[in-house]
């Protein structure tokens, strides 16, 4: 059955229409991903309403194309400007920008293109091979595990937020509170203040547009003019990057596997994967490779891992409806908007759809290789685009996109109010991504928490009633206890130090 | 003259507002049936507790946040934007308040104009005003205004959205 569905998926993807949507998504993703501060999430959320005009699978593979292309595109700005277009390419700046300063930007860009493509291909192949083994695990998950995995995702996001854990918790909890507005699953009207328009709660898409697109535009409005103040020359040897990837097959494979696994952890995603892969590349490198000073290995490792993490991060999104990052949160919105319900069905009757998502990743990665190697000498125009021209158009697209879904002015009010709140959250280091995931995971977490408590007749022991739930509960406890243990250890070590 | 740290003052106002809203939500939630009250009470309770801990850290201890930062911070999370080190902080300080205020006002007035007069007409006016204010070339002003109008017109044409007239002219 699984193989037949795989063949069906190939037949779906290898059509001119599907290939066109993958290609279009990639081009948009590469372009927008290359604009520092914009990133793939914004491109995905702005084009989300447009996918209503196409059928389900084409709409989703178009969004996946943007996600995949955006993560590759973000390396362009990381290499040329020392400013990553998205979180997933942050570690690429260490060596990518150093190479640019040495007049080897072309080598860095080609290493990034090949690394990204190979990372995407490896991860998609591994996941396609793993799908038959994932099915029983996913089917074994019930309400208790769904709640725990949603909670773990929120906790992970709070954990990696800069500033501190407490501000991350505030962001996530604020999102949960926003998600509780409207009529509940049990029919109670919560926080609607008597407005009928709020009975359906805040539109998930409007929340995403507000917190991603409008927040960023308010931010960018404080930065005048073009992104790059000086003319950037693309120079160096195009094939040096290709040779470097071919000369380091283990590094590329290992980074891709790291990216795939870290990406599949809810709350982690490309932003963590690229640092982990870079760290591992440093640890296991030959002694003559000087990381941070322009090593091509320092570009290959984060770039293979971030594109591989794309595939990985889609697994919890489609299996449990738990997105691990901004991009997958938008993807989840796309799935729900098209009536595709994440969960066991996507690994049962609709398995061909799951396969088609990963095959589109595979095909997209080949497109990245072609686009990256042929057009990289012309990609520096992205760094010259004036933000003042981007802002009004993104505001317009976001507004009409939000309004077109329900023709409800509440949605327009939502995007602007949350957009401005998001600006202040960012400014004061309250994690926006925790806020978004709180809003996304709120209904899932609430429903499954109540079901789990009913199943366990109110007993908290229900959270340690199966092997997956024990593993998840233990992970949550470790995450919560770790900062306290570390604090106590620090105090103890401070006491043990002799006074000088 | 008193030297005011506006950033700190803004943070205090922000956290006070969040605390107040969470407090109201917590009290309000108690009126709901038990099942419906659970999640809002947990969420608002977590906010209240976190802000109180931040307050205690700020006033008394001063080290809880440092430990959190040292232990976990890998960079900043903003949307998917995950910048390196303190670049976010640097960027915040680089923001030009004088440049920002009129632009933010224009962004904020766009939905208001759209609601009053209709998005179809407010859109070209907003894009025109924004590009003129930011001193773009005449070609860019004309072409971007036309593109924005084209986008909104396509949505109007394809989806038949009620955006031609605002609330002032019987629409909305």
């Amino acid at each position: 059955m699984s193989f037949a569905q795989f063949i069906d998926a190939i037949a779906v993807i290898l059509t001119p229409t599907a290939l066109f949507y993958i290609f279009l998504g990639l081009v948009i993703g590469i372009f927008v991903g290359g604009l520092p501060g914009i990133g793939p999430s914004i491109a995905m959320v702005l084009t989300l309403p447009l996918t209503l005009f196409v059928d389900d699978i084409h709409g989703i593979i178009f969004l996946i194309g943007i996600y995949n292309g955006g993560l590759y595109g973000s390396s362009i700005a990381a290499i040329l400007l020392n400013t990553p277009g998205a979180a997933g390419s942050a570690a690429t700046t260490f060596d990518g920008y150093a190479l640019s300063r040495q007049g080897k930007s072309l080598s860095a860009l080609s290493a990034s293109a090949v690394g990204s493509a190979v990372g995407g291909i490896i991860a998609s192949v591994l996941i396609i091979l793993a799908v038959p083994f994932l099915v029983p695990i996913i089917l074994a998950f019930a309400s208790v595990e769904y709640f725990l995995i949603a909670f773990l995702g929120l906790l992970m996001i709070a954990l990696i937020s800069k500033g501190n854990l407490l501000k991350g918790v505030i962001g996530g909890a604020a999102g949960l509170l926003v998600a509780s507005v409207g009529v509940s699953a049990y029919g109670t009207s919560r926080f609607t203040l008597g407005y009928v328009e709020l009975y359906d709660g805040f539109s998930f898409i409007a929340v995403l547009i507000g917190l991603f697109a409008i927040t960023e535009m308010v931010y960018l409005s404080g930065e005048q003019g073009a992104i790059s103040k000086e003319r950037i020359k693309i120079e160096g040897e195009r094939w040096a990057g290709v040779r470097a990837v071919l000369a380091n097959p283990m590094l590329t494979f290992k980074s891709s596997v790291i990216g795939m696994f870290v990406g599949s952890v809810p709350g982690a995603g490309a932003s963590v994967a690229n640092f982990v892969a870079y760290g591992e590349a440093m640890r296991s490198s030959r002694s003559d490779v000087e990381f941070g000073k322009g090593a091509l290995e320092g570009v290959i490792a984060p770039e293979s891992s971030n594109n591989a993490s794309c595939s990985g991060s889609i697994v919890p999104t489609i299996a449990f409806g738990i997105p691990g990052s901004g991009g997958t949160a938008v993807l989840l919105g796309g799935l729900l908007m098209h009536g595709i319900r994440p969960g066991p069905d996507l690994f049962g009757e609709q398995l061909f759809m799951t396969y088609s998502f990963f095959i589109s990743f595979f095909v997209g990665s080949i497109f990245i290789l072609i686009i990256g190697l042929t057009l990289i000498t012309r990609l520096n125009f992205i760094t010259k685009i004036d933000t003042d021209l981007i802002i009004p158009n993104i505001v317009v697209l976001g507004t009409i996109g939000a309004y077109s879904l329900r023709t409800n002015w509440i949605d327009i009010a939502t995007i602007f109010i949350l957009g401005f709140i998001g600006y202040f959250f960012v400014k004061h280091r309250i994690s926006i991504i925790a806020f978004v995931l709180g809003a996304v995971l709120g209904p899932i977490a609430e429903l499954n928490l109540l079901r789990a408590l009913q199943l366990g007749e109110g007993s908290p022991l229900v959270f340690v009633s199966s092997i997956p739930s024990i593993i998840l509960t233990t992970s949550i406890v470790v995450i919560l206890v770790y900062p306290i243990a570390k604090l106590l250890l620090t105090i103890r070590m401070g006491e043990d130090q002799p006074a000088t | 003259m008193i030297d005011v740290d506006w950033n700190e003052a803004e943070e205090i106002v922000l956290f006070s507002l969040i605390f107040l809203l969470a407090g109201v939500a917590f009290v309000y939630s108690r009126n709901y049936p038990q099942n419906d009250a659970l999640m809002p009470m947990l969420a608002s309770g977590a906010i209240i507790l976190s802000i109180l801990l931040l307050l205690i850290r700020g006033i008394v201890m001063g080290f809880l946040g440092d430990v959190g930062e040292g232990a976990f911070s890998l960079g900043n999370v903003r949307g998917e934007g995950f910048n390196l080190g303190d670049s976010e902080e640097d960027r915040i300080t680089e923001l030009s308040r004088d440049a920002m205020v009129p632009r933010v006002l224009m962004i904020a007035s766009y939905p208001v104009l759209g609601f009053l007069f209709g998005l179809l007409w407010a859109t070209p006016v907003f894009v025109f005003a924004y590009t003129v204010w930011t001193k773009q070339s005449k070609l860019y002003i004309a072409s971007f205004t036309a593109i924005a109008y084209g986008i909104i017109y396509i949505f109007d044409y394809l989806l038949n959205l009620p955006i031609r007239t605002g609330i002032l002219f019987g629409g909305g």
Side-chain angles (χ1 to χ4, degrees), chain A residues 12-43:
Chain A
V12 167
I13 295 299
L14 294 183
T15 57
T17 317
L19 293 174
F20 169 75
Y21 282 116
I22 296 171
F23 185 77
L24 185 67
L26 275 171
V27 171
I28 294 174
I30 292 171
F31 176 75
V32 180
L35 300 169
I38 307 290
S41 305
I42 295 179

mmCIF file of all heavy atoms in Angstrom, chain A residues 12-43:
data_model
loop_
_atom_site.group_PDB
_atom_site.id
_atom_site.type_symbol
_atom_site.label_atom_id
_atom_site.label_comp_id
_atom_site.label_asym_id
_atom_site.label_seq_id
_atom_site.Cartn_x
_atom_site.Cartn_y
_atom_site.Cartn_z
ATOM 1 N N VAL A 12 1.921 12.563 -9.172
ATOM 2 C CA VAL A 12 1.369 13.898 -8.871
ATOM 3 C C VAL A 12 2.431 14.979 -9.076
ATOM 4 O O VAL A 12 2.160 16.039 -9.647
ATOM 5 C CB VAL A 12 0.834 13.940 -7.406
ATOM 6 C CG1 VAL A 12 0.548 15.359 -6.960
ATOM 7 C CG2 VAL A 12 -0.422 13.090 -7.275
ATOM 8 N N ILE A 13 3.637 14.704 -8.615
ATOM 9 C CA ILE A 13 4.689 15.736 -8.652
ATOM 10 C C ILE A 13 5.293 15.907 -10.052
ATOM 11 O O ILE A 13 5.599 17.030 -10.459
ATOM 12 C CB ILE A 13 5.803 15.397 -7.623
ATOM 13 C CG1 ILE A 13 5.237 15.451 -6.199
ATOM 14 C CG2 ILE A 13 6.991 16.351 -7.749
ATOM 15 C CD1 ILE A 13 4.696 16.788 -5.755
ATOM 16 N N LEU A 14 5.455 14.807 -10.765
ATOM 17 C CA LEU A 14 6.106 14.922 -12.072
ATOM 18 C C LEU A 14 5.123 15.315 -13.178
ATOM 19 O O LEU A 14 5.057 14.694 -14.241
ATOM 20 C CB LEU A 14 6.834 13.619 -12.423
ATOM 21 C CG LEU A 14 8.029 13.275 -11.516
ATOM 22 C CD1 LEU A 14 8.727 12.014 -11.995
ATOM 23 C CD2 LEU A 14 9.027 14.422 -11.427
ATOM 24 N N THR A 15 4.381 16.367 -12.892
ATOM 25 C CA THR A 15 3.504 16.939 -13.918
ATOM 26 C C THR A 15 3.964 18.377 -14.131
ATOM 27 O O THR A 15 4.514 18.986 -13.200
ATOM 28 C CB THR A 15 2.028 16.953 -13.468
ATOM 29 O OG1 THR A 15 1.948 17.695 -12.246
ATOM 30 C CG2 THR A 15 1.484 15.560 -13.254
ATOM 31 N N PRO A 16 3.757 18.930 -15.327
ATOM 32 C CA PRO A 16 4.221 20.301 -15.569
ATOM 33 C C PRO A 16 3.656 21.293 -14.560
ATOM 34 O O PRO A 16 4.362 22.189 -14.096
ATOM 35 C CB PRO A 16 3.711 20.599 -16.987
ATOM 36 C CG PRO A 16 3.547 19.260 -17.629
ATOM 37 C CD PRO A 16 3.182 18.311 -16.535
ATOM 38 N N THR A 17 2.383 21.127 -14.175
ATOM 39 C CA THR A 17 1.774 22.083 -13.238
ATOM 40 C C THR A 17 2.473 22.024 -11.887
ATOM 41 O O THR A 17 2.824 23.066 -11.317
ATOM 42 C CB THR A 17 0.270 21.750 -13.043
ATOM 43 O OG1 THR A 17 -0.286 21.456 -14.303
ATOM 44 C CG2 THR A 17 -0.475 22.872 -12.385
ATOM 45 N N ALA A 18 2.664 20.811 -11.369
ATOM 46 C CA ALA A 18 3.300 20.681 -10.052
ATOM 47 C C ALA A 18 4.733 21.211 -10.104
ATOM 48 O O ALA A 18 5.164 21.932 -9.198
ATOM 49 C CB ALA A 18 3.290 19.221 -9.616
ATOM 50 N N LEU A 19 5.465 20.874 -11.155
ATOM 51 C CA LEU A 19 6.846 21.350 -11.275
ATOM 52 C C LEU A 19 6.889 22.873 -11.364
ATOM 53 O O LEU A 19 7.769 23.516 -10.801
ATOM 54 C CB LEU A 19 7.523 20.723 -12.500
ATOM 55 C CG LEU A 19 7.756 19.211 -12.425
ATOM 56 C CD1 LEU A 19 8.291 18.679 -13.749
ATOM 57 C CD2 LEU A 19 8.717 18.856 -11.297
ATOM 58 N N PHE A 20 5.887 23.444 -12.044
ATOM 59 C CA PHE A 20 5.815 24.899 -12.152
ATOM 60 C C PHE A 20 5.631 25.527 -10.764
ATOM 61 O O PHE A 20 6.308 26.503 -10.423
ATOM 62 C CB PHE A 20 4.657 25.301 -13.079
ATOM 63 C CG PHE A 20 4.336 26.772 -13.035
ATOM 64 C CD1 PHE A 20 5.168 27.699 -13.660
ATOM 65 C CD2 PHE A 20 3.222 27.240 -12.348
ATOM 66 C CE1 PHE A 20 4.887 29.062 -13.597
ATOM 67 C CE2 PHE A 20 2.938 28.597 -12.284
ATOM 68 C CZ PHE A 20 3.769 29.508 -12.914
ATOM 69 N N TYR A 21 4.721 24.952 -9.953
ATOM 70 C CA TYR A 21 4.487 25.530 -8.623
ATOM 71 C C TYR A 21 5.705 25.376 -7.708
ATOM 72 O O TYR A 21 5.998 26.261 -6.917
ATOM 73 C CB TYR A 21 3.238 24.923 -7.975
ATOM 74 C CG TYR A 21 1.965 25.518 -8.526
ATOM 75 C CD1 TYR A 21 1.058 24.751 -9.236
ATOM 76 C CD2 TYR A 21 1.697 26.876 -8.366
ATOM 77 C CE1 TYR A 21 -0.103 25.309 -9.767
ATOM 78 C CE2 TYR A 21 0.552 27.438 -8.886
ATOM 79 C CZ TYR A 21 -0.343 26.654 -9.587
ATOM 80 O OH TYR A 21 -1.464 27.224 -10.104
ATOM 81 N N ILE A 22 6.400 24.248 -7.841
ATOM 82 C CA ILE A 22 7.621 24.071 -7.030
ATOM 83 C C ILE A 22 8.651 25.128 -7.436
ATOM 84 O O ILE A 22 9.241 25.808 -6.597
ATOM 85 C CB ILE A 22 8.225 22.652 -7.224
ATOM 86 C CG1 ILE A 22 7.251 21.584 -6.718
ATOM 87 C CG2 ILE A 22 9.559 22.529 -6.503
ATOM 88 C CD1 ILE A 22 7.671 20.158 -7.064
ATOM 89 N N PHE A 23 8.816 25.288 -8.744
ATOM 90 C CA PHE A 23 9.801 26.243 -9.267
ATOM 91 C C PHE A 23 9.436 27.680 -8.869
ATOM 92 O O PHE A 23 10.280 28.439 -8.397
ATOM 93 C CB PHE A 23 9.878 26.108 -10.796
ATOM 94 C CG PHE A 23 10.953 26.958 -11.409
ATOM 95 C CD1 PHE A 23 12.286 26.583 -11.338
ATOM 96 C CD2 PHE A 23 10.639 28.147 -12.054
ATOM 97 C CE1 PHE A 23 13.284 27.373 -11.887
ATOM 98 C CE2 PHE A 23 11.632 28.944 -12.607
ATOM 99 C CZ PHE A 23 12.956 28.556 -12.526
ATOM 100 N N LEU A 24 8.157 28.018 -9.038
ATOM 101 C CA LEU A 24 7.704 29.372 -8.690
ATOM 102 C C LEU A 24 7.930 29.651 -7.203
ATOM 103 O O LEU A 24 8.428 30.722 -6.821
ATOM 104 C CB LEU A 24 6.213 29.516 -9.044
ATOM 105 C CG LEU A 24 5.603 30.899 -8.846
ATOM 106 C CD1 LEU A 24 6.200 31.904 -9.823
ATOM 107 C CD2 LEU A 24 4.078 30.848 -9.030
ATOM 108 N N GLY A 25 7.565 28.671 -6.383
ATOM 109 C CA GLY A 25 7.766 28.818 -4.939
ATOM 110 C C GLY A 25 9.230 29.025 -4.604
ATOM 111 O O GLY A 25 9.581 29.894 -3.801
ATOM 112 N N LEU A 26 10.095 28.254 -5.256
ATOM 113 C CA LEU A 26 11.528 28.375 -4.991
ATOM 114 C C LEU A 26 12.054 29.744 -5.378
ATOM 115 O O LEU A 26 12.812 30.363 -4.634
ATOM 116 C CB LEU A 26 12.292 27.313 -5.784
ATOM 117 C CG LEU A 26 12.404 25.941 -5.150
ATOM 118 C CD1 LEU A 26 12.988 24.963 -6.130
ATOM 119 C CD2 LEU A 26 13.279 25.997 -3.912
ATOM 120 N N VAL A 27 11.650 30.215 -6.547
ATOM 121 C CA VAL A 27 12.140 31.522 -7.014
ATOM 122 C C VAL A 27 11.693 32.612 -6.043
ATOM 123 O O VAL A 27 12.497 33.464 -5.628
ATOM 124 C CB VAL A 27 11.645 31.810 -8.456
ATOM 125 C CG1 VAL A 27 11.956 33.232 -8.866
ATOM 126 C CG2 VAL A 27 12.289 30.836 -9.431
ATOM 127 N N ILE A 28 10.415 32.578 -5.647
ATOM 128 C CA ILE A 28 9.916 33.576 -4.685
ATOM 129 C C ILE A 28 10.688 33.441 -3.369
ATOM 130 O O ILE A 28 11.125 34.424 -2.773
ATOM 131 C CB ILE A 28 8.396 33.406 -4.456
ATOM 132 C CG1 ILE A 28 7.633 33.742 -5.738
ATOM 133 C CG2 ILE A 28 7.912 34.283 -3.303
ATOM 134 C CD1 ILE A 28 6.132 33.461 -5.673
ATOM 135 N N GLY A 29 10.864 32.189 -2.926
ATOM 136 C CA GLY A 29 11.570 31.944 -1.666
ATOM 137 C C GLY A 29 13.001 32.450 -1.707
ATOM 138 O O GLY A 29 13.457 33.104 -0.767
ATOM 139 N N ILE A 30 13.702 32.170 -2.792
ATOM 140 C CA ILE A 30 15.104 32.601 -2.895
ATOM 141 C C ILE A 30 15.175 34.124 -2.884
ATOM 142 O O ILE A 30 15.991 34.728 -2.179
ATOM 143 C CB ILE A 30 15.765 32.039 -4.177
ATOM 144 C CG1 ILE A 30 15.912 30.528 -4.077
ATOM 145 C CG2 ILE A 30 17.130 32.680 -4.421
ATOM 146 C CD1 ILE A 30 16.341 29.828 -5.364
ATOM 147 N N PHE A 31 14.270 34.748 -3.636
ATOM 148 C CA PHE A 31 14.267 36.214 -3.720
ATOM 149 C C PHE A 31 13.963 36.832 -2.353
ATOM 150 O O PHE A 31 14.702 37.689 -1.865
ATOM 151 C CB PHE A 31 13.226 36.647 -4.763
ATOM 152 C CG PHE A 31 13.060 38.131 -4.860
ATOM 153 C CD1 PHE A 31 14.014 38.905 -5.499
ATOM 154 C CD2 PHE A 31 11.964 38.759 -4.303
ATOM 155 C CE1 PHE A 31 13.873 40.280 -5.577
ATOM 156 C CE2 PHE A 31 11.808 40.132 -4.373
ATOM 157 C CZ PHE A 31 12.775 40.899 -5.019
ATOM 158 N N VAL A 32 12.885 36.379 -1.734
ATOM 159 C CA VAL A 32 12.477 36.977 -0.457
ATOM 160 C C VAL A 32 13.424 36.563 0.667
ATOM 161 O O VAL A 32 13.744 37.366 1.542
ATOM 162 C CB VAL A 32 11.016 36.609 -0.120
ATOM 163 C CG1 VAL A 32 10.595 37.219 1.191
ATOM 164 C CG2 VAL A 32 10.092 37.076 -1.223
ATOM 165 N N GLY A 33 13.890 35.309 0.611
ATOM 166 C CA GLY A 33 14.822 34.847 1.638
ATOM 167 C C GLY A 33 16.110 35.649 1.622
ATOM 168 O O GLY A 33 16.770 35.806 2.639
ATOM 169 N N GLY A 34 16.463 36.162 0.455
ATOM 170 C CA GLY A 34 17.686 36.947 0.338
ATOM 171 C C GLY A 34 17.574 38.352 0.908
ATOM 172 O O GLY A 34 18.579 39.038 1.081
ATOM 173 N N LEU A 35 16.372 38.777 1.204
ATOM 174 C CA LEU A 35 16.191 40.118 1.774
ATOM 175 C C LEU A 35 16.311 40.028 3.288
ATOM 176 O O LEU A 35 15.467 39.405 3.924
ATOM 177 C CB LEU A 35 14.808 40.674 1.405
ATOM 178 C CG LEU A 35 14.494 40.820 -0.077
ATOM 179 C CD1 LEU A 35 13.017 41.129 -0.278
ATOM 180 C CD2 LEU A 35 15.325 41.931 -0.691
ATOM 181 N N PRO A 36 17.350 40.611 3.870
ATOM 182 C CA PRO A 36 17.510 40.484 5.316
ATOM 183 C C PRO A 36 16.276 40.995 6.054
ATOM 184 O O PRO A 36 15.757 42.062 5.748
ATOM 185 C CB PRO A 36 18.723 41.367 5.618
ATOM 186 C CG PRO A 36 19.464 41.434 4.350
ATOM 187 C CD PRO A 36 18.426 41.399 3.266
ATOM 188 N N GLY A 37 15.840 40.212 7.008
ATOM 189 C CA GLY A 37 14.696 40.633 7.822
ATOM 190 C C GLY A 37 13.368 40.179 7.271
ATOM 191 O O GLY A 37 12.372 40.161 7.986
ATOM 192 N N ILE A 38 13.305 39.838 5.985
ATOM 193 C CA ILE A 38 12.008 39.425 5.442
ATOM 194 C C ILE A 38 11.831 37.924 5.701
ATOM 195 O O ILE A 38 11.001 37.531 6.490
ATOM 196 C CB ILE A 38 11.887 39.732 3.935
ATOM 197 C CG1 ILE A 38 12.222 41.216 3.641
ATOM 198 C CG2 ILE A 38 10.496 39.398 3.421
ATOM 199 C CD1 ILE A 38 11.228 42.222 4.122
ATOM 200 N N GLY A 39 12.627 37.102 5.087
ATOM 201 C CA GLY A 39 12.617 35.672 5.402
ATOM 202 C C GLY A 39 11.464 34.887 4.803
ATOM 203 O O GLY A 39 10.474 35.472 4.345
ATOM 204 N N PRO A 40 11.593 33.553 4.810
ATOM 205 C CA PRO A 40 10.582 32.712 4.161
ATOM 206 C C PRO A 40 9.206 32.758 4.819
ATOM 207 O O PRO A 40 8.193 32.635 4.133
ATOM 208 C CB PRO A 40 11.170 31.305 4.249
ATOM 209 C CG PRO A 40 12.254 31.368 5.250
ATOM 210 C CD PRO A 40 12.729 32.769 5.320
ATOM 211 N N SER A 41 9.146 32.939 6.143
ATOM 212 C CA SER A 41 7.834 32.928 6.819
ATOM 213 C C SER A 41 6.930 34.028 6.284
ATOM 214 O O SER A 41 5.739 33.811 6.061
ATOM 215 C CB SER A 41 8.000 33.136 8.318
ATOM 216 O OG SER A 41 8.869 32.211 8.839
ATOM 217 N N ILE A 42 7.510 35.214 6.083
ATOM 218 C CA ILE A 42 6.698 36.343 5.606
ATOM 219 C C ILE A 42 6.221 36.067 4.184
ATOM 220 O O ILE A 42 5.051 36.277 3.854
ATOM 221 C CB ILE A 42 7.487 37.673 5.689
ATOM 222 C CG1 ILE A 42 7.777 38.001 7.150
ATOM 223 C CG2 ILE A 42 6.723 38.811 5.026
ATOM 224 C CD1 ILE A 42 8.569 39.263 7.368
ATOM 225 N N ALA A 43 7.142 35.557 3.346
ATOM 226 C CA ALA A 43 6.747 35.245 1.967
ATOM 227 C C ALA A 43 5.642 34.200 1.965
ATOM 228 O O ALA A 43 4.673 34.295 1.204
ATOM 229 C CB ALA A 43 7.960 34.731 1.195
#
